[in-house]
Amino acid sequence: MAESGLAVVEVAAVDDETAFAVQELLASRCAIAPADRTTHEPGEPGVRLRCYLDMQQPPEA
C-alpha cells in the first residue's frame, strides 16, 4: 500500500464462520472494506478471506 495506515489482511481459517468472525473483530477496531465471500483452493484445507483496512479511520457505527 502506498499510504501509511492502509493494510490488506488475508485471513486463513478452517471455515467461513471463523473467517467472517475475524473480519467482524477487525471491523470493530478500524474502518474496513469487508469481503462478502471466502475463497477455497481445491485440495487445500480451509478458506481464505481478504479485506482492506484503514487504521486511520474510526469504525463505522
Side-chain angles (χ1 to χ4, degrees):
M1 291 286 188
E3 294 184 42
S4 175
L6 300 178
V8 177
V9 176
E10 184 166 291
V11 177
V14 70
D15 57 25
D16 287 356
E17 183 178 320
T18 304
F20 286 116
V22 171
Q23 178 175 258
E24 193 172 314
L25 177 67
L26 292 169
S28 73
R29 301 186 185 284
C30 56
I32 185 171
D36 58 356
R37 65 183 173 91
T38 61
T39 58
H40 172 75
E41 292 292 327
E44 295 290 322
V47 298
R48 294 190 180 273
L49 177 139
R50 182 175 290 174
C51 57
Y52 301 87
L53 308 179
D54 183 345
M55 296 180 290
Q56 296 177 342
Q57 298 286 329
E60 292 183 18

